[in-house]
Amino acid sequence: MSTQQFQVQGMTCGHCEKAVQAAIRQVDPQAEVRIDRASNLVEVQSAQDREKLAEAIREEGYTVA
């Protein structure tokens, strides 16, 4: 497992955070997700490929920098 950080634009509320968490957990149900909405930071502990995780976030409609 590795820890990866993503800069995610467009999260404005708790519902946004839940959508991002759900998207990541669809790729990796065991992922640990921490979100700091104020700094647009999403930290994920997962064995999955970084690009797969980023794509799942993008599919929810958010921009991954």
Side-chain angles (χ1 to χ4, degrees):
M1 251 198 208
S2 64
T3 301
Q4 303 177 56
Q5 292 187 338
F6 301 91
Q7 284 292 317
V8 179
Q9 304 296 317
M11 294 186 297
T12 58
C13 64
H15 179 266
C16 296
E17 290 180 15
K18 286 184 174 134
V20 169
Q21 283 186 339
I24 291 167
R25 291 210 170 107
Q26 280 188 323
V27 175
D28 181 357
Q30 266 65 54
E32 285 190 33
V33 183
R34 281 188 293 285
I35 297 177
D36 181 351
R37 192 175 0 142
S39 61
N40 298 317
L41 184 68
V42 177
E43 188 174 276
V44 182
Q45 263 195 325
S46 173
Q48 287 294 322
D49 180 63
R50 178 179 177 80
E51 191 49 43
K52 282 185 185 176
L53 296 169
E55 186 57 32
I57 296 168
R58 285 188 200 103
E59 285 177 6
E60 284 296 314
Y62 302 96
T63 302
V64 180

